[in-house]
Amino acid sequence: MTPIQKVIYKKDRKIKPVWFMRQAGRYLPEFRKIRKINTNFIDLCLNKKKVKEITLQPLKRFNLDAAIIFSDILMVPYGLDQEINFKKNYGPILGELKLQNIHKISYKDFTNKLNPVYESLKITKKDNLLKNKDLIGFVGGPWTILVYMLNKKSPKKELNKLIKDKKLTKELLEIIADFLCVHIKNQVKSGASVIQIFDSWAGLVKKRDLERNIYNPTKKVVKFIRSLKIPSICFPRNIDNYKEFTDETKPDVINIDYKIDPIKIIKDIKIPVQGGIDPQILLTNRKNIKMEAQRYLDIFKNHPYIFNLGHGVLPQTNPDMVEYLTNLVKNVK
Ligand code: CP3
């Protein structure tokens, strides 16, 4: 069993596995060096040798318990033939959504197009650095993928009005959830030991729409992951009611964001928890980092917990601080 699987299946409260969202990324000079030469981000995600190298970069530096495959949640719209570009200092820009086209795409076409992602997982999994460690596969939540496909960029204040079209969103959410399951199955077959669902824009959904936009489609994906005998970690970022979310969708682990009080979480939620620490803390100093890490470790002392942040490592983070935090967690008695 991997460290994360022990926390989930054995409810092991003694070990606190540690990994960080966006642990491979722009805060690492060795990543920036590769990124500078590889100007097309999607092509980089399809380059299996480079994907393996980038995935393992943080494990070469830090004593982490898990690697997360270097990829992106937008590989699914790409697999559905929607154009994706990443503009510097702006984020993703998607092309027109062609629903007629999507109807013609078979699971086999989709799998072939994303095959380099699966090949990357296979070769990464074999590396000695991952011995007795987790290799995390991931997808975006159905709602977050829908937002990108219709809004065609990260939503700022206003969502595209298409997202209010109930008939269209229902149809698309079903199609998206089905392809997310295909993507998950392919990742598990290629060596992923856990699947995380990043629902980054869950916080935009109004209470009355939670059931149809978040709970129902997520439930389906979580159930599918369970059928593969692999644990699921859900991260419905900025959602108001984490308890209702976990009761409704029943994931194996809930990842919390940094705005939520962890003390309230352990009172309300009985399943294993991941994350919570504000990534900004890594921009301060060792004393603050130590205090905050100790606070989380104390709160989760008797609760199955996977140490992580409440969002990704920020690009301006000093890698030495990530090393310091990792060692703090690994050295607790
Ligand atoms: O280390 C890891 O966590 C694994 C790789 C990973 C990436 N994206 C690589 C990436 C993961 C798990 C993601 C998930 C992802 N992608 C999410 C969910 C998590 C979150 O941040 O809320 C979302 C919403 C996306 C979509 C996306 N991809 C955006 C909005 C952007 C641009 C803004 C940004 O954060 O840089 C990306 C690009 C992206 N994905 C980069 C990386 C390392 C930066 C690429 C670069 O410019 O070098």
Side-chain angles (χ1 to χ4, degrees):
M1 244 189 229
T2 62
I4 292 179
Q5 291 178 345
K6 273 183 203 157
V7 170
I8 295 163
Y9 296 132
K10 292 189 157 175
K11 299 278 182 292
D12 194 325
R13 291 160 168 80
K14 283 196 208 84
I15 56 165
K16 306 290 178 196
V18 52
W19 71 279
F20 299 108
M21 293 186 273
R22 292 283 175 97
Q23 63 188 25
R26 280 172 300 186
Y27 76 104
L28 288 177
E30 58 271 36
F31 170 77
R32 289 199 300 269
K33 206 170 143 195
I34 294 178
R35 182 74 172 99
K36 209 172 164 185
I37 314 164
N38 296 271
T39 48
N40 184 315
F41 184 71
I42 294 283
D43 286 347
L44 182 57
C45 291
L46 295 170
N47 179 336
K48 58 184 182 185
K49 279 197 182 141
K50 289 280 172 268
V51 166
K52 176 182 170 184
E53 188 182 340
I54 297 169
T55 302
L56 295 175
Q57 280 174 347
L59 278 90
K60 288 195 174 128
R61 279 178 176 257
F62 319 124
N63 187 12
L64 299 162
D65 293 295
I68 178 161
I69 194 71
F70 182 77
S71 187
D72 200 87
I73 62 165
L74 299 177
M75 294 312 281
V76 166
Y78 170 81
L80 294 173
D81 278 344
Q82 195 167 358
E83 213 183 303
I84 319 271
N85 283 295
F86 285 86
K87 206 165 110 184
K88 212 173 171 183
N89 304 323
Y90 181 82
I93 303 175
L94 285 80
E96 216 51 57
L97 168 89
K98 300 183 198 103
L99 199 54
Q100 288 310 320
N101 240 3
I102 293 182
H103 285 302
K104 293 192 201 120
I105 299 171
S106 67
Y107 294 159
K108 198 162 168 244
D109 297 335
F110 174 85
T111 299
N112 284 340
K113 198 163 176 194
L114 295 184
N115 195 49
V117 176
Y118 314 131
E119 290 299 318
S120 312
L121 276 150
K122 284 184 198 160
I123 61 167
T124 307
K125 172 91 183 162
K126 286 194 194 127
D127 198 279
N128 253 335
L129 276 169
L130 282 184
K131 220 172 148 209
N132 301 324
K133 297 193 175 189
D134 281 281
L135 177 55
I136 301 167
F138 67 90
V139 290
W143 162 255
T144 290
I145 298 301
L146 175 86
V147 167
Y148 277 109
M149 288 175 79
L150 290 176
N151 205 54
K152 296 185 281 177
K153 59 179 191 236
S154 299
K156 293 288 177 301
K157 283 187 208 111
E158 186 103 331
L159 279 175
N160 185 318
K161 54 182 181 304
L162 275 175
I163 292 175
K164 293 183 184 113
D165 180 338
K166 283 191 189 161
K167 197 165 157 270
L168 175 70
T169 54
K170 185 170 190 293
E171 182 186 358
L172 261 174
L173 277 170
E174 278 168 15
I175 297 172
I176 291 167
D178 286 343
F179 279 97
L180 292 176
C181 290
V182 175
H183 193 43
I184 289 167
K185 189 174 178 182
N186 292 334
Q187 292 184 70
V188 170
K189 270 208 241 165
S190 309
S193 59
V194 182
I195 296 290
Q196 176 143 338
I197 305 174
F198 288 91
D199 216 347
S200 304
W201 300 111
L204 294 178
V205 178
K206 295 207 175 68
K207 204 170 178 294
R208 61 164 192 273
D209 296 328
L210 280 168
E211 189 158 321
R212 66 186 171 97
N213 285 337
I214 304 278
Y215 300 157
N216 289 340
T218 307
K219 222 182 268 185
K220 199 167 148 184
V221 179
V222 167
K223 228 173 153 177
F224 181 77
I225 300 171
R226 186 156 292 135
S227 78
L228 301 174
K229 301 197 161 48
I230 286 287
S232 57
I233 305 176
C234 277
F235 185 18
R237 183 156 66 90
N238 286 349
I239 205 157
D240 280 334
N241 194 335
Y242 275 97
K243 175 165 168 45
E244 187 177 273
F245 177 90
T246 53
D247 289 346
E248 287 284 334
T249 65
K250 300 188 168 51
D252 292 299
V253 181
I254 184 79
N255 190 110
I256 53 173
D257 65 78
Y258 56 86
K259 290 185 189 142
I260 211 85
D261 177 8
I263 298 174
K264 183 171 160 38
I265 289 292
I266 54 163
K267 276 192 197 132
D268 287 353
I269 294 181
K270 297 303 159 211
I271 67 166
V273 174
Q274 173 176 280
I277 299 227
D278 189 342
Q280 297 268 358
I281 204 85
L282 289 169
L283 306 181
T284 66
N285 55 51
R286 286 181 164 77
K287 190 170 157 245
N288 274 332
I289 295 172
K290 191 171 183 177
M291 263 170 33
E292 193 59 0
Q294 198 55 57
R295 189 168 79 88
Y296 270 79
L297 290 168
D298 288 343
I299 293 169
F300 288 101
K301 201 170 179 349
N302 296 311
H303 195 102
Y305 182 63
I306 303 160
F307 201 94
N308 205 321
L309 306 171
H311 198 194
V313 179
L314 296 163
Q316 63 271 40
T317 305
N318 176 351
D320 292 346
M321 296 304 168
V322 178
E323 179 173 15
Y324 178 71
L325 178 57
T326 310
N327 289 338
L328 279 175
V329 182
K330 295 311 289 183
N331 294 332
V332 287
K333 294 282 163 342

